[in-house]
Amino acid sequence: MSIDEGTAAKVAKLARIKVEPEELPHLAAEFNNILGFIEQLGEVDVDGVEPMVSVTPMRLKRRTDGVTDGGMQERILSNAPDAREGFFAVPKVVE
Amino acid sequence: MGELAKLTIAGARDALRKGEVTAVELTEACLSSIAEAGALNAFVHHTPEIARAQAAAADDRLKAGDAPAMCGIPLGVKDLFCTRGVPGQAASRILEGFAPEYESTVTAKLWEAGSVMLGKLNMDEFAMGSSNETSVYGAAVNPWKGTDGKALTPGGSSGGSAAAVAADLCLAATGTDTGGSIRQPAAFTGTTGLKPTYGRCSRWGIVAYASSLDQAGPMTKTVRDAAIMLGAMAGHDPKDSTSADLAVPDFEAMLTGDIRGQKIGIPREYRVEGMRDDLAKLWDEGAAMLRDAGAEIVDISLPHTKYALPAYYVIAPAEASSNLARYDGVRYGHRATLAQGDGITEMYEKTRAEGFGPEVRRRIMVGTYVLSAGFYDAYYNQARKVRTLIKRDFEQAFAAGIDAILAPATPTPAFALGGMKNADPVEMYLNDVFTVTLNLAGLPGIAVPVGLSGEGLPMGLQLIGRPWEEGALLNQAQVLETAAGFAAKPGKWW
């Protein structure tokens, strides 16, 4: 599998990371290098092998579906780059 | 004053309880060592006010006779741990200015036990790196120097932790290990680093990299100290659903020094092509030390070893791409300055391009690719199946009666900072070749300094234990530590 510049641009878009067009050839080359290394996984016979879900077999614990925490709007907003009137502020989302 | 900072946890605990030293004196000694060690770039956020207040409180507890082992012990904290009100940015520009409003479970437990926080320690950005060079703070520097006098990496990602412990800036430090990030820096600095079984320590409040692999652990001067500190860090936490609901044993009490009759496996697949002579020799010597202590040395096979690194470099980036989606410039950290007409997508894209360094961007995008439609089965599911096989290799060895596995910790001793500048990313990834297998299998592992390389740098060996048997592992490690008698320290140049 070889990644071209178009695929590299698509991956950057999916990852929401801006990549300038002139950087795309280099990025595609890096991807190809890493994927070339990963490719060897294809050699392994995995017939009948389950993909690992959890490294330690365990049943996830359940708890009562109740409110355990809250009432800390100010603390939650304290690290926001832009918070106004008790909300996170972002550029316009809906036209 | 500097002499006090050289104490081990065990030594300081005993001196504190006898009243030979106070926590305040110990803390002041560390603070002055840190003040002199700017050249190491190990501490990146300093918290002397917190340290002095905690030390005074620890002295009160010691006087009252209510002092757990870690009471009054000054520690450094890897920048990955959230500590309330203290800047923490996982060594990334994207978390610039972030001061968490909450405390990680592991650090909360250490403060409850009376430990003292000296500050936050340097690391690779989001724990992605093997040399500390991806840090937004600039690289931490290894206190050890090669014969040519060049500055060396302390390893990564917990490079600041390793440098600080090796240079006696603190008695011990916290680290995290996703693919070797505790054990490789420990091996590079002549210190001890323990990665516990996955689930032994809570991950809550630790900035996530690859959640199915991340595990916190102690970085210390001795194996005994690792046992003491792990006891304070470990335990079930309802806030981390993967933390194990198991009792935490008294690990220190399990250091009996007796390993007679135990079977130590030597995995033949770890004897990789081109292994350095001094490393091969060190490994043989380590095996001989354990044999002399009464253990039986057994050749074993872990046939899927070779596929651990490529599996890791699918699974870890995949999980990272999901975990790091939260850095969007909305709730915390950096937000890019927007141009007229930019919408929310441009805000995400510009913020993440500016905020993440090149290695983090690369791993997020590789992870995005292997999870994308059409490639999910070929890469991600294939890697998870290989992971099952890697774990099975270990299970079969343990089922055959192996108590622990002895292997090298790293392929080389510490290399020069900037020395890998022109290497491609995969060459840097090869640093993790001996460490990454047990993250995939969830097993505990410990790096212990055993000898010096041809160029006079510390080299470590790694012991890999059965799941949840850190006590037995620490005991085996202490036998190795005692037999090796590694006592070399770096000359002070900083």
Side-chain angles (χ1 to χ4, degrees):
Chain A
M1 180 63 59
S2 174
I3 292 198
D4 57 18
E5 288 172 36
T7 312
K10 190 180 151 221
V11 171
K13 185 78 194 170
L14 285 172
R16 297 291 184 271
I17 295 175
K18 187 177 172 59
V19 176
E20 299 298 340
E22 60 270 23
E23 295 169 26
L24 284 173
H26 178 65
L27 183 65
E30 272 184 355
F31 281 170
N32 282 320
N33 177 258
I34 294 169
L35 291 172
F37 175 65
I38 292 168
E39 211 89 321
Q40 53 179 306
L41 290 174
E43 299 165 14
V44 184
D45 179 4
V46 293
D47 255 12
V49 177
E50 286 296 312
M52 185 182 286
V53 177
S54 164
V55 73
T56 309
M58 58 164 77
R59 181 180 281 274
L60 291 182
K61 282 184 178 285
R62 294 181 174 194
R63 66 169 174 83
T64 319
D65 184 15
V67 177
T68 58
D69 215 342
M72 50 179 86
Q73 186 185 35
E74 261 177 47
R75 283 173 64 192
I76 285 168
L77 292 172
S78 69
N79 276 295
D82 189 1
R84 290 177 229 163
E85 299 168 39
F87 293 95
F88 293 111
V90 294
K92 195 162 82 173
V93 179
V94 183
E95 290 299 322
Chain B
M1 279 295 257
E3 291 302 307
L4 285 180
K6 292 181 182 164
L7 286 173
T8 59
I9 293 175
R13 171 194 59 187
D14 298 347
L16 284 164
R17 285 180 177 170
K18 282 186 206 148
E20 293 167 358
V21 65
T22 65
V24 168
E25 288 166 348
L26 208 50
T27 299
E28 292 299 337
C30 291
L31 290 173
S32 45
S33 297
I34 293 167
E36 289 169 12
L40 297 176
N41 201 24
F43 276 87
V44 290
H45 296 287
H46 299 258
T47 56
E49 296 82 11
I50 294 175
R52 291 187 172 111
Q54 286 174 328
D59 279 331
D60 289 343
R61 279 176 81 172
L62 281 152
K63 269 186 218 130
D66 157 40
M70 289 298 290
C71 189
I73 304 296
L75 303 175
V77 176
K78 188 179 183 180
D79 200 37
L80 208 61
F81 291 77
C82 289
T83 51
R84 188 167 177 189
V86 177
Q89 52 186 101
S92 179
R93 188 179 175 211
I94 209 156
L95 277 172
E96 218 165 50
F98 178 59
E101 279 290 332
Y102 48 86
E103 187 79 28
S104 82
T105 298
V106 163
T107 50
K109 280 172 169 287
L110 288 167
W111 314 146
E112 274 161 32
S115 297
V116 172
M117 174 172 177
L118 296 166
K120 301 296 280 292
L121 291 162
N122 208 344
M123 53 179 280
D124 279 296
E125 183 179 6
F126 284 106
M128 298 181 194
S130 305
S131 67
N132 219 289
E133 291 169 294
T134 70
S135 167
V136 72
Y137 311 116
V141 181
N142 196 326
W144 290 84
K145 276 198 171 184
T147 38
D148 58 5
K150 276 191 192 156
L152 302 177
T153 175
S157 68
S158 311
S161 302
V165 174
D168 292 317
L169 310 185
C170 50
L171 273 58
T174 63
T176 63
D177 192 316
T178 304
S181 285
I182 286 177
R183 291 158 287 149
Q184 183 252 23
F188 276 12
T189 56
T191 56
T192 300
L194 171 70
K195 179 204 110 61
T197 313
Y198 180 80
R200 181 61 94 177
C201 295
S202 168
R203 291 181 295 106
W204 197 83
I206 302 172
V207 174
Y209 160 22
S211 305
S212 80
L213 303 160
D214 296 344
Q215 184 58 205
M219 301 185 67
T220 57
K221 298 174 190 178
T222 66
V223 172
R224 179 173 298 277
D225 284 6
I228 297 170
M229 188 165 163
L230 177 64
M233 295 170 72
H236 178 245
D237 177 11
K239 287 187 282 197
D240 173 4
S241 61
T242 63
S243 92
D245 198 354
L246 291 175
V248 179
D250 181 346
F251 297 113
E252 193 187 8
M254 296 165 91
L255 303 174
T256 61
D258 184 1
I259 60 161
R260 282 173 300 173
Q262 293 190 11
K263 283 189 180 171
I264 307 291
I266 306 290
R268 70 175 70 104
E269 289 80 7
Y270 283 60
R271 206 166 285 275
V272 293
E273 213 178 302
M275 179 177 278
R276 290 166 56 113
D277 290 343
D278 51 2
L279 180 59
K281 187 164 165 278
L282 190 81
W283 191 10
D284 291 341
E285 286 168 0
M289 291 172 199
L290 296 174
R291 186 187 296 118
D292 290 346
E296 185 187 341
I297 304 299
V298 185
D299 280 317
I300 62 165
S301 174
L302 300 169
H304 295 91
T305 298
K306 154 178 190 211
Y307 300 104
L309 208 50
Y312 175 84
Y313 279 99
V314 172
I315 292 167
E319 293 185 21
S321 74
S322 171
N323 270 327
L324 273 63
R326 73 189 71 183
Y327 304 104
D328 55 7
V330 175
R331 289 157 296 166
Y332 28 66
H334 178 74
R335 177 187 291 189
T337 309
L338 301 182
Q340 194 70 34
D342 277 353
I344 196 153
T345 305
E346 287 80 10
M347 183 193 77
Y348 293 150
E349 291 180 346
K350 287 183 178 179
T351 294
R352 290 162 64 80
E354 289 177 11
F356 293 134
E359 182 60 29
V360 174
R361 291 201 299 267
R362 185 153 49 229
R363 293 198 197 184
I364 290 173
M365 288 191 276
V366 167
T368 303
Y369 180 75
V370 299
L371 290 177
S372 63
F375 301 106
Y376 187 89
D377 266 324
Y379 292 115
Y380 184 61
N381 266 343
Q382 180 77 9
R384 290 195 304 142
K385 288 176 186 172
V386 171
R387 187 177 180 186
T388 300
L389 293 171
I390 289 165
K391 184 169 180 242
R392 190 179 294 168
D393 285 352
F394 283 105
E395 285 168 348
Q396 285 170 349
F398 292 135
I402 295 296
D403 292 287
I405 294 163
L406 181 72
T410 58
T412 66
F415 49 88
L417 284 168
M420 299 281 276
K421 202 165 58 186
N422 298 319
D424 67 57
V426 173
E427 280 180 66
M428 187 65 107
Y429 297 168
L430 292 173
N431 259 289
D432 303 332
V433 67
F434 298 127
T435 47
V436 77
T437 47
L438 56 126
N439 296 83
L440 291 168
L443 301 172
I446 186 166
V448 179
V450 173
L452 292 173
S453 71
E455 55 274 63
L457 295 173
M459 289 179 91
L461 290 176
Q462 181 184 209
L463 278 159
I464 304 165
R466 293 164 171 260
W468 312 115
E469 293 191 15
E470 290 90 348
L473 178 68
L474 286 156
N475 185 40
Q476 293 143 356
Q478 198 189 43
V479 169
L480 184 64
E481 176 188 55
T482 306
F486 184 90
K489 290 291 277 183
K492 188 169 185 290
W493 53 266
W494 57 89

mmCIF file with all atom_site columns, all heavy atoms in Angstrom, chain A residues 91-95:
data_model
loop_
_atom_site.group_PDB
_atom_site.id
_atom_site.type_symbol
_atom_site.label_atom_id
_atom_site.label_alt_id
_atom_site.label_comp_id
_atom_site.label_asym_id
_atom_site.label_entity_id
_atom_site.label_seq_id
_atom_site.pdbx_PDB_ins_code
_atom_site.Cartn_x
_atom_site.Cartn_y
_atom_site.Cartn_z
_atom_site.occupancy
_atom_site.B_iso_or_equiv
_atom_site.pdbx_formal_charge
_atom_site.auth_seq_id
_atom_site.auth_comp_id
_atom_site.auth_asym_id
_atom_site.auth_atom_id
_atom_site.pdbx_PDB_model_num
ATOM 1  N N   . PRO A 1 91 ? -16.279 29.911 17.320 1.00 0.00 ? 91 PRO A N   1
ATOM 2  C CA  . PRO A 1 91 ? -16.770 30.609 16.117 1.00 0.00 ? 91 PRO A CA  1
ATOM 3  C C   . PRO A 1 91 ? -18.132 30.058 15.708 1.00 0.00 ? 91 PRO A C   1
ATOM 4  O O   . PRO A 1 91 ? -18.509 28.952 16.106 1.00 0.00 ? 91 PRO A O   1
ATOM 5  C CB  . PRO A 1 91 ? -15.721 30.281 15.053 1.00 0.00 ? 91 PRO A CB  1
ATOM 6  C CG  . PRO A 1 91 ? -14.526 29.804 15.789 1.00 0.00 ? 91 PRO A CG  1
ATOM 7  C CD  . PRO A 1 91 ? -15.010 29.219 17.063 1.00 0.00 ? 91 PRO A CD  1
ATOM 8  N N   . LYS A 1 92 ? -18.809 30.806 14.864 1.00 0.00 ? 92 LYS A N   1
ATOM 9  C CA  . LYS A 1 92 ? -20.148 30.406 14.441 1.00 0.00 ? 92 LYS A CA  1
ATOM 10 C C   . LYS A 1 92 ? -20.131 29.001 13.822 1.00 0.00 ? 92 LYS A C   1
ATOM 11 O O   . LYS A 1 92 ? -19.290 28.691 12.975 1.00 0.00 ? 92 LYS A O   1
ATOM 12 C CB  . LYS A 1 92 ? -20.662 31.433 13.411 1.00 0.00 ? 92 LYS A CB  1
ATOM 13 C CG  . LYS A 1 92 ? -22.141 31.321 13.179 1.00 0.00 ? 92 LYS A CG  1
ATOM 14 C CD  . LYS A 1 92 ? -22.688 32.569 12.538 1.00 0.00 ? 92 LYS A CD  1
ATOM 15 C CE  . LYS A 1 92 ? -22.462 32.528 11.031 1.00 0.00 ? 92 LYS A CE  1
ATOM 16 N NZ  . LYS A 1 92 ? -23.141 33.654 10.347 1.00 0.00 ? 92 LYS A NZ  1
ATOM 17 N N   . VAL A 1 93 ? -21.041 28.144 14.276 1.00 0.00 ? 93 VAL A N   1
ATOM 18 C CA  . VAL A 1 93 ? -21.082 26.758 13.800 1.00 0.00 ? 93 VAL A CA  1
ATOM 19 C C   . VAL A 1 93 ? -22.174 26.574 12.750 1.00 0.00 ? 93 VAL A C   1
ATOM 20 O O   . VAL A 1 93 ? -22.002 25.880 11.766 1.00 0.00 ? 93 VAL A O   1
ATOM 21 C CB  . VAL A 1 93 ? -21.323 25.790 14.981 1.00 0.00 ? 93 VAL A CB  1
ATOM 22 C CG1 . VAL A 1 93 ? -21.387 24.357 14.497 1.00 0.00 ? 93 VAL A CG1 1
ATOM 23 C CG2 . VAL A 1 93 ? -20.241 25.948 16.038 1.00 0.00 ? 93 VAL A CG2 1
ATOM 24 N N   . VAL A 1 94 ? -23.318 27.203 12.958 1.00 0.00 ? 94 VAL A N   1
ATOM 25 C CA  . VAL A 1 94 ? -24.466 27.019 12.050 1.00 0.00 ? 94 VAL A CA  1
ATOM 26 C C   . VAL A 1 94 ? -24.648 28.297 11.237 1.00 0.00 ? 94 VAL A C   1
ATOM 27 O O   . VAL A 1 94 ? -24.643 29.392 11.789 1.00 0.00 ? 94 VAL A O   1
ATOM 28 C CB  . VAL A 1 94 ? -25.758 26.726 12.859 1.00 0.00 ? 94 VAL A CB  1
ATOM 29 C CG1 . VAL A 1 94 ? -26.917 26.454 11.916 1.00 0.00 ? 94 VAL A CG1 1
ATOM 30 C CG2 . VAL A 1 94 ? -25.537 25.566 13.801 1.00 0.00 ? 94 VAL A CG2 1
ATOM 31 N N   . GLU A 1 95 ? -24.742 28.137 9.935  1.00 0.00 ? 95 GLU A N   1
ATOM 32 C CA  . GLU A 1 95 ? -24.939 29.318 9.060  1.00 0.00 ? 95 GLU A CA  1
ATOM 33 C C   . GLU A 1 95 ? -26.351 29.852 9.229  1.00 0.00 ? 95 GLU A C   1
ATOM 34 O O   . GLU A 1 95 ? -27.295 29.095 9.352  1.00 0.00 ? 95 GLU A O   1
ATOM 35 C CB  . GLU A 1 95 ? -24.701 28.925 7.597  1.00 0.00 ? 95 GLU A CB  1
ATOM 36 C CG  . GLU A 1 95 ? -23.240 28.622 7.275  1.00 0.00 ? 95 GLU A CG  1
ATOM 37 C CD  . GLU A 1 95 ? -22.311 29.817 7.520  1.00 0.00 ? 95 GLU A CD  1
ATOM 38 O OE1 . GLU A 1 95 ? -22.726 30.965 7.243  1.00 0.00 ? 95 GLU A OE1 1
ATOM 39 O OE2 . GLU A 1 95 ? -21.191 29.602 8.008  1.00 0.00 ? 95 GLU A OE2 1
#
